[in-house]
Amino acid sequence: MALDTGGTMTDTFVVDENGEYTVGKAQTTPEYEAEGVVNSFQNALGYWDTTLEESTDTIRGTVYSGTAMLNRLLEREGEGDIGLITNRGFEDTHRFGRGIESWVDLPYSGRLHAREHEHPEPIVPRENIRGVRSRIDHLGQEMIPLYEGEVEEAVHDLLDRDVRVICVSLVYSYQNPEHEQRVREIAEEIIDERGADVPIWLSSEQNPVRGELPRVNSLILEAYAVEPSREQLYGIRDELEAEGADAPFRVLSSSGGTVSPDHDWLVETMISGPIGGIFGGEFLADKLGIDNLVCSDVGGTSFDVGLITEGHYPTRWDQSLAQFMVNIPMTAMDTIGSGTGSFVRVDRASNRLEVGPDSAGYLVGVANEESGLDTPTVTDCTAMLGYLNPEYFLGGKIDLDVDRAREYIEDQVADPLDQDPHETARGVLDIVERNMTNELNAMILGLGYSPENYHLTSYGGGGPLHAAGYTQSLDFKDVLIPDWAAAFSAFGCATADYAYRYDRSLDLVLQPDLSNAEQVAAALTDALTDLREQAVAAFERDGIDAEEMDFVPALRMQYTGMLDDLEVTLPGDIWNGELAADDLPDVIDVYEREFARVFQRAAQSPEQGYTITMGVGTGIAPSPSPALPEEEPGDETPPEAAGRGHRDIYWDGAWHEAALWEMNDLEAGNVVEGPAVVEAPATTMLVPPGFEAPLDEHRIFHLGET
């Protein structure tokens, strides 16, 4: 069982021993996520005429992904009272940040206008930060000893301020953690003397990699937004256990594996929800033989995009979370605040339409009378245009009052603009879908490619509804919409391995003539061996036999002097538990082949030597995986039993009579011709006039213009 807890809906994907699946959906319950999770699983299992209680003895594992931690950070609802000890003179690092933090998460228009640039409010107030004299240099050598008296004073001061946790981040501690470890020893002695209960967290243990600002930010975010969310994860696990499930409960990480909620550091799971879709896209691309695939996710609050190019999705280290730069490995993706729940308003100053970025989330819109909302949303516009069945939204669990939506849109949006309400509603969707189109185009062109080089898969609850709109002007090879699109991110979780990844900064320079190959090989062997031991310890803690674990070593390398490094996996014929000096030419060959693939027109610079910036070790254990459906294609004409009548829809300035189809009753080989609306309990697919959507043997629609 896999799940994706979004800001609006909780999607579940359940797969059986034959690889067959069912999809469930329920409203997210942010105060107690476990309730929405159980409701969603019950909804999915209901299609197999069973319940969670009746099926718990068959559950082999549950994988969680979601945005609850990120939302906690975005909405500043985490737990404060954090203390920080750093080097004297570095007390303002977190507050000052970097210039990029003032604009990194703004939309394109906001980046252009400096008046919108603003640094994020620091999470740890300046008065909760203490500096102590100490200095380790970039080689790990002690330049200034730790002034232990200042540490004692700092700890007493922070305890007097009733901090909940003390974070410790000293310069270059990833090269030599001795000073941080001594700070903890001193702090724990004082805490014991005072009878307090305050944990001490070290940056050298959480994420021992270079980058002082992102390293301290990552540690602070763990304390502020992640640790409080751990209780939500425990709540879900407890609810499943109460139903009788004793299978492993895991959380998707941003780098691709799944970890236990007991894992020491969960900050790398903060954006697991959107990333699940990219892993699902990778699985799909591999099975269908697609080299280049755009993964696009339309949710209630955001539009998330990731690219798989030549079978590869990149891992970034320069990501931001709510404008804070962090240095944790994340699958590369971009997000804009444009979703189906985005609020629609008229800017009184400019008299222009504004959509989002704030969202109604799980409340949907004013058409949902029980929402208590008084501002219309994108969903209200789609309901008003006839795209949604008001009696079948979320399988009929939420009734939509179309007249109420029309009244609010007319009063608050159309009348102030002196426009027709339906044309205004369609204009709102044009804005939303144009923003999505621009985001797609910018990402692809930024790599030096064009949309004609890519297939696109559209998913999320709103993906099938808006796919025609945001892909129409881009000439993709094909637009793929799986019939399980509503739970595609959860599907991606189901494809993820049970894996723990550990990283360590190295900054080893390999001379061009390999004259220091022996020393570098010895250092790499030590580092990768340590990383393997960390992975083994993690699996043993989770009760998994380490003998079942495959260890995958990797290095991040660059030509000396370059700004960007690349991650390369060491194959088994190079790594057999150690590296020798004569293995390094093979390591270089692996790097240069990857460099030529990623930077096809860039000049190689072996004369500068090579810098190995980081060692990466990933332990992987076997886990179940879904299979794509395989159905025998039949007639192009859909069966009569799949028909649900007709409904008028508004498209391109006119009303059209659209055929209605039940998605689950359509058969492989059927071709849905527009204008049509294909409905399912968890999503709706719009096939506008001039479009068609054949359904293939894997139950994937191929949406395109006729």
Short mmCIF file of all heavy atoms in Angstrom, two decimals, residues 79-85 123-125 128-129 154-155 157-159 161-168 187 191 196-202 219-228 265:
data_model
loop_
_atom_site.label_atom_id
_atom_site.label_comp_id
_atom_site.label_asym_id
_atom_site.label_seq_id
_atom_site.Cartn_x
_atom_site.Cartn_y
_atom_site.Cartn_z
N GLU A 79 7.35 23.99 15.44
CA GLU A 79 7.64 24.24 16.85
C GLU A 79 8.94 25.04 16.97
O GLU A 79 9.98 24.60 16.49
CB GLU A 79 7.76 22.92 17.61
CG GLU A 79 6.44 22.16 17.69
CD GLU A 79 6.53 20.95 18.60
OE1 GLU A 79 7.48 20.87 19.40
OE2 GLU A 79 5.65 20.08 18.51
N GLY A 80 8.85 26.20 17.59
CA GLY A 80 10.00 27.08 17.76
C GLY A 80 10.82 26.70 18.99
O GLY A 80 11.02 25.54 19.29
N ASP A 81 11.29 27.72 19.70
CA ASP A 81 12.10 27.51 20.91
C ASP A 81 13.32 26.66 20.61
O ASP A 81 13.65 25.71 21.32
CB ASP A 81 11.26 26.85 22.02
CG ASP A 81 10.05 27.69 22.41
OD1 ASP A 81 10.17 28.92 22.38
OD2 ASP A 81 9.01 27.11 22.74
N ILE A 82 14.00 26.99 19.51
CA ILE A 82 15.21 26.28 19.11
C ILE A 82 16.41 27.13 19.47
O ILE A 82 16.42 28.34 19.24
CB ILE A 82 15.19 26.01 17.59
CG1 ILE A 82 14.00 25.14 17.21
CG2 ILE A 82 16.50 25.36 17.14
CD1 ILE A 82 13.75 25.08 15.72
N GLY A 83 17.42 26.52 20.05
CA GLY A 83 18.68 27.20 20.34
C GLY A 83 19.74 26.77 19.35
O GLY A 83 19.72 25.64 18.85
N LEU A 84 20.70 27.65 19.06
CA LEU A 84 21.77 27.34 18.11
C LEU A 84 23.10 27.80 18.67
O LEU A 84 23.24 28.94 19.13
CB LEU A 84 21.50 28.02 16.77
CG LEU A 84 22.60 27.91 15.71
CD1 LEU A 84 22.80 26.46 15.28
CD2 LEU A 84 22.29 28.79 14.50
N ILE A 85 24.09 26.91 18.64
CA ILE A 85 25.47 27.24 18.98
C ILE A 85 26.31 27.13 17.72
O ILE A 85 26.29 26.10 17.04
CB ILE A 85 26.02 26.30 20.08
CG1 ILE A 85 25.25 26.51 21.39
CG2 ILE A 85 27.51 26.55 20.31
CD1 ILE A 85 25.67 25.57 22.50
N ILE A 123 13.97 31.38 11.31
CA ILE A 123 13.23 30.48 12.20
C ILE A 123 13.76 30.58 13.62
O ILE A 123 12.99 30.56 14.59
CB ILE A 123 13.33 29.04 11.67
CG1 ILE A 123 12.53 28.93 10.37
CG2 ILE A 123 12.83 28.03 12.69
CD1 ILE A 123 12.70 27.61 9.67
N VAL A 124 15.08 30.69 13.75
CA VAL A 124 15.68 30.84 15.08
C VAL A 124 15.97 32.32 15.30
O VAL A 124 16.75 32.93 14.56
CB VAL A 124 16.98 30.03 15.20
CG1 VAL A 124 17.60 30.20 16.58
CG2 VAL A 124 16.72 28.56 14.91
N PRO A 125 15.35 32.95 16.29
CA PRO A 125 15.60 34.38 16.53
C PRO A 125 17.04 34.62 16.97
O PRO A 125 17.69 33.75 17.56
CB PRO A 125 14.60 34.72 17.63
CG PRO A 125 14.30 33.43 18.31
CD PRO A 125 14.40 32.38 17.25
N ASN A 128 18.39 33.64 20.34
CA ASN A 128 18.55 32.23 20.67
C ASN A 128 19.79 31.62 20.01
O ASN A 128 19.93 30.41 19.95
CB ASN A 128 17.32 31.42 20.23
CG ASN A 128 16.20 31.46 21.25
OD1 ASN A 128 16.22 32.28 22.16
ND2 ASN A 128 15.23 30.58 21.10
N ILE A 129 20.68 32.48 19.53
CA ILE A 129 21.90 32.01 18.87
C ILE A 129 23.11 32.48 19.68
O ILE A 129 23.21 33.65 20.04
CB ILE A 129 21.98 32.54 17.42
CG1 ILE A 129 20.77 32.06 16.61
CG2 ILE A 129 23.28 32.09 16.76
CD1 ILE A 129 20.72 32.60 15.20
N ALA A 154 27.16 29.53 26.99
CA ALA A 154 26.14 29.50 25.94
C ALA A 154 25.03 28.51 26.30
O ALA A 154 23.83 28.80 26.12
CB ALA A 154 26.77 29.12 24.61
N VAL A 155 25.40 27.33 26.79
CA VAL A 155 24.40 26.31 27.13
C VAL A 155 23.51 26.81 28.26
O VAL A 155 22.28 26.68 28.21
CB VAL A 155 25.08 24.98 27.50
CG1 VAL A 155 24.05 23.98 28.02
CG2 VAL A 155 25.81 24.40 26.30
N ASP A 157 22.84 29.90 29.05
CA ASP A 157 21.98 30.97 28.53
C ASP A 157 20.79 30.39 27.76
O ASP A 157 19.64 30.84 27.94
CB ASP A 157 22.78 31.88 27.60
CG ASP A 157 23.74 32.79 28.35
OD1 ASP A 157 23.63 32.84 29.58
OD2 ASP A 157 24.58 33.42 27.69
N LEU A 158 21.05 29.40 26.91
CA LEU A 158 19.96 28.83 26.12
C LEU A 158 18.97 28.06 26.99
O LEU A 158 17.75 28.12 26.75
CB LEU A 158 20.54 27.93 25.02
CG LEU A 158 21.35 28.65 23.93
CD1 LEU A 158 21.97 27.64 22.97
CD2 LEU A 158 20.48 29.64 23.17
N LEU A 159 19.46 27.36 27.98
CA LEU A 159 18.54 26.65 28.88
C LEU A 159 17.70 27.65 29.67
O LEU A 159 16.52 27.40 29.95
CB LEU A 159 19.33 25.75 29.83
CG LEU A 159 20.03 24.55 29.18
CD1 LEU A 159 20.82 23.77 30.23
CD2 LEU A 159 19.03 23.63 28.49
N ARG A 161 16.60 30.26 28.53
CA ARG A 161 15.59 30.75 27.58
C ARG A 161 14.56 29.66 27.24
O ARG A 161 13.73 29.84 26.36
CB ARG A 161 16.25 31.25 26.30
CG ARG A 161 17.16 32.48 26.52
CD ARG A 161 17.62 33.07 25.19
NE ARG A 161 16.48 33.52 24.40
CZ ARG A 161 15.85 34.67 24.57
NH1 ARG A 161 16.24 35.51 25.53
NH2 ARG A 161 14.84 35.00 23.80
N ASP A 162 14.66 28.52 27.94
CA ASP A 162 13.68 27.43 27.78
C ASP A 162 13.62 26.90 26.36
O ASP A 162 12.54 26.63 25.83
CB ASP A 162 12.28 27.87 28.24
CG ASP A 162 12.21 28.18 29.71
OD1 ASP A 162 12.90 27.47 30.48
OD2 ASP A 162 11.50 29.11 30.09
N VAL A 163 14.80 26.73 25.73
CA VAL A 163 14.79 26.16 24.40
C VAL A 163 14.40 24.68 24.47
O VAL A 163 14.65 23.99 25.47
CB VAL A 163 16.16 26.32 23.70
CG1 VAL A 163 16.49 27.78 23.50
CG2 VAL A 163 17.26 25.60 24.46
N ARG A 164 13.80 24.20 23.40
CA ARG A 164 13.33 22.81 23.31
C ARG A 164 14.42 21.88 22.81
O ARG A 164 14.44 20.69 23.12
CB ARG A 164 12.12 22.77 22.37
CG ARG A 164 11.53 21.43 22.07
CD ARG A 164 10.29 21.57 21.18
NE ARG A 164 10.55 22.32 19.98
CZ ARG A 164 11.06 21.81 18.86
NH1 ARG A 164 11.36 20.53 18.81
NH2 ARG A 164 11.25 22.55 17.79
N VAL A 165 15.32 22.41 21.99
CA VAL A 165 16.41 21.63 21.42
C VAL A 165 17.57 22.58 21.17
O VAL A 165 17.36 23.78 20.93
CB VAL A 165 15.97 20.94 20.11
CG1 VAL A 165 15.51 21.95 19.09
CG2 VAL A 165 17.08 20.08 19.52
N ILE A 166 18.80 22.08 21.27
CA ILE A 166 19.98 22.88 20.97
C ILE A 166 20.66 22.28 19.74
O ILE A 166 21.08 21.12 19.75
CB ILE A 166 20.96 22.93 22.15
CG1 ILE A 166 20.32 23.64 23.34
CG2 ILE A 166 22.26 23.64 21.75
CD1 ILE A 166 21.20 23.67 24.58
N CYS A 167 20.75 23.08 18.68
CA CYS A 167 21.44 22.67 17.46
C CYS A 167 22.88 23.20 17.51
O CYS A 167 23.12 24.32 17.98
CB CYS A 167 20.73 23.23 16.23
SG CYS A 167 19.05 22.62 16.01
N VAL A 168 23.81 22.42 17.01
CA VAL A 168 25.21 22.80 17.00
C VAL A 168 25.73 22.68 15.57
O VAL A 168 25.67 21.61 14.97
CB VAL A 168 26.06 21.91 17.93
CG1 VAL A 168 27.51 22.39 17.94
CG2 VAL A 168 25.48 21.91 19.34
N ALA A 187 27.49 20.17 26.97
CA ALA A 187 26.06 20.50 27.11
C ALA A 187 25.31 19.43 27.88
O ALA A 187 24.47 19.73 28.74
CB ALA A 187 25.45 20.70 25.73
N ILE A 191 23.11 19.85 31.23
CA ILE A 191 21.69 19.48 31.19
C ILE A 191 21.37 18.50 32.31
O ILE A 191 20.35 18.61 33.00
CB ILE A 191 21.33 18.91 29.81
CG1 ILE A 191 21.33 20.03 28.76
CG2 ILE A 191 19.97 18.21 29.83
CD1 ILE A 191 21.24 19.54 27.34
N ALA A 196 17.35 19.02 33.22
CA ALA A 196 16.56 19.39 32.04
C ALA A 196 16.46 18.18 31.10
O ALA A 196 17.09 17.15 31.30
CB ALA A 196 17.19 20.58 31.34
N ASP A 197 15.65 18.33 30.07
CA ASP A 197 15.48 17.29 29.05
C ASP A 197 15.51 17.96 27.69
O ASP A 197 14.47 18.18 27.06
CB ASP A 197 14.18 16.53 29.28
CG ASP A 197 14.00 15.39 28.27
OD1 ASP A 197 15.00 14.98 27.67
OD2 ASP A 197 12.84 14.93 28.08
N VAL A 198 16.71 18.29 27.22
CA VAL A 198 16.89 19.01 25.96
C VAL A 198 17.89 18.25 25.10
O VAL A 198 19.04 18.07 25.50
CB VAL A 198 17.40 20.45 26.21
CG1 VAL A 198 17.65 21.17 24.89
CG2 VAL A 198 16.42 21.23 27.07
N PRO A 199 17.48 17.77 23.94
CA PRO A 199 18.42 17.05 23.08
C PRO A 199 19.42 17.99 22.43
O PRO A 199 19.15 19.18 22.23
CB PRO A 199 17.50 16.40 22.03
CG PRO A 199 16.30 17.28 21.99
CD PRO A 199 16.12 17.82 23.38
N ILE A 200 20.59 17.44 22.08
CA ILE A 200 21.64 18.18 21.38
C ILE A 200 21.82 17.56 20.01
O ILE A 200 22.12 16.36 19.90
CB ILE A 200 22.99 18.13 22.16
CG1 ILE A 200 22.78 18.50 23.63
CG2 ILE A 200 24.00 19.04 21.50
CD1 ILE A 200 22.30 19.91 23.85
N TRP A 201 21.65 18.35 18.96
CA TRP A 201 21.76 17.85 17.60
C TRP A 201 22.99 18.46 16.93
O TRP A 201 23.19 19.68 16.99
CB TRP A 201 20.52 18.19 16.78
CG TRP A 201 19.30 17.43 17.21
CD1 TRP A 201 19.22 16.46 18.17
CD2 TRP A 201 17.99 17.56 16.67
NE1 TRP A 201 17.95 15.99 18.28
CE2 TRP A 201 17.15 16.64 17.37
CE3 TRP A 201 17.42 18.35 15.68
CZ2 TRP A 201 15.80 16.50 17.09
CZ3 TRP A 201 16.07 18.23 15.41
CH2 TRP A 201 15.27 17.30 16.11
N LEU A 202 23.78 17.62 16.26
CA LEU A 202 25.01 18.06 15.61
C LEU A 202 24.87 18.03 14.09
O LEU A 202 24.41 17.04 13.53
CB LEU A 202 26.19 17.17 16.02
CG LEU A 202 26.43 16.95 17.51
CD1 LEU A 202 27.70 16.11 17.70
CD2 LEU A 202 26.52 18.26 18.26
N LEU A 219 19.65 21.61 9.55
CA LEU A 219 19.55 21.19 10.95
C LEU A 219 18.38 21.90 11.64
O LEU A 219 17.61 21.29 12.39
CB LEU A 219 20.86 21.51 11.67
CG LEU A 219 21.05 20.93 13.06
CD1 LEU A 219 21.08 19.42 13.03
CD2 LEU A 219 22.34 21.47 13.69
N ILE A 220 18.23 23.18 11.36
CA ILE A 220 17.15 23.96 11.98
C ILE A 220 15.78 23.48 11.48
O ILE A 220 14.83 23.35 12.26
CB ILE A 220 17.35 25.46 11.68
CG1 ILE A 220 18.55 25.99 12.47
CG2 ILE A 220 16.09 26.26 12.03
CD1 ILE A 220 18.98 27.38 12.07
N LEU A 221 15.67 23.21 10.17
CA LEU A 221 14.39 22.75 9.63
C LEU A 221 14.01 21.40 10.21
O LEU A 221 12.82 21.12 10.43
CB LEU A 221 14.45 22.67 8.11
CG LEU A 221 14.64 23.98 7.35
CD1 LEU A 221 14.49 23.75 5.86
CD2 LEU A 221 13.68 25.05 7.83
N GLU A 222 14.99 20.54 10.45
CA GLU A 222 14.71 19.25 11.09
C GLU A 222 14.04 19.47 12.44
O GLU A 222 13.06 18.81 12.79
CB GLU A 222 16.02 18.47 11.27
CG GLU A 222 15.87 17.13 11.95
CD GLU A 222 15.39 16.04 11.00
OE1 GLU A 222 15.88 15.97 9.88
OE2 GLU A 222 14.53 15.26 11.43
N ALA A 223 14.58 20.43 13.20
CA ALA A 223 14.03 20.69 14.54
C ALA A 223 12.68 21.39 14.48
O ALA A 223 11.80 21.12 15.30
CB ALA A 223 15.02 21.55 15.34
N TYR A 224 12.51 22.28 13.49
CA TYR A 224 11.31 23.11 13.46
C TYR A 224 10.10 22.41 12.84
O TYR A 224 9.02 22.38 13.43
CB TYR A 224 11.61 24.39 12.67
CG TYR A 224 10.42 25.31 12.53
CD1 TYR A 224 10.00 26.11 13.60
CD2 TYR A 224 9.72 25.40 11.33
CE1 TYR A 224 8.91 26.95 13.47
CE2 TYR A 224 8.63 26.24 11.20
CZ TYR A 224 8.23 27.02 12.27
OH TYR A 224 7.14 27.84 12.15
N ALA A 225 10.28 21.84 11.64
CA ALA A 225 9.13 21.34 10.89
C ALA A 225 9.06 19.82 10.82
O ALA A 225 7.97 19.27 10.70
CB ALA A 225 9.17 21.90 9.46
N VAL A 226 10.21 19.16 10.89
CA VAL A 226 10.22 17.71 10.66
C VAL A 226 9.93 16.94 11.93
O VAL A 226 9.07 16.05 11.95
CB VAL A 226 11.57 17.27 10.06
CG1 VAL A 226 11.59 15.77 9.87
CG2 VAL A 226 11.80 17.98 8.73
N GLU A 227 10.64 17.27 12.99
CA GLU A 227 10.47 16.49 14.23
C GLU A 227 9.02 16.53 14.73
O GLU A 227 8.48 15.49 15.12
CB GLU A 227 11.43 17.02 15.30
CG GLU A 227 11.53 16.15 16.54
CD GLU A 227 12.06 14.74 16.23
OE1 GLU A 227 12.69 14.55 15.18
OE2 GLU A 227 11.82 13.84 17.06
N PRO A 228 8.33 17.68 14.71
CA PRO A 228 6.91 17.66 15.11
C PRO A 228 6.04 16.79 14.21
O PRO A 228 5.06 16.19 14.66
CB PRO A 228 6.49 19.14 15.01
CG PRO A 228 7.76 19.90 15.13
CD PRO A 228 8.81 19.06 14.47
N TRP A 265 17.20 11.30 10.98
CA TRP A 265 17.04 12.58 10.29
C TRP A 265 16.05 12.42 9.15
O TRP A 265 16.29 11.69 8.20
CB TRP A 265 18.39 13.06 9.74
CG TRP A 265 19.46 13.07 10.79
CD1 TRP A 265 20.52 12.21 10.88
CD2 TRP A 265 19.57 13.95 11.91
NE1 TRP A 265 21.28 12.51 11.98
CE2 TRP A 265 20.72 13.57 12.63
CE3 TRP A 265 18.81 15.02 12.38
CZ2 TRP A 265 21.13 14.22 13.79
CZ3 TRP A 265 19.21 15.67 13.53
CH2 TRP A 265 20.36 15.27 14.22
#
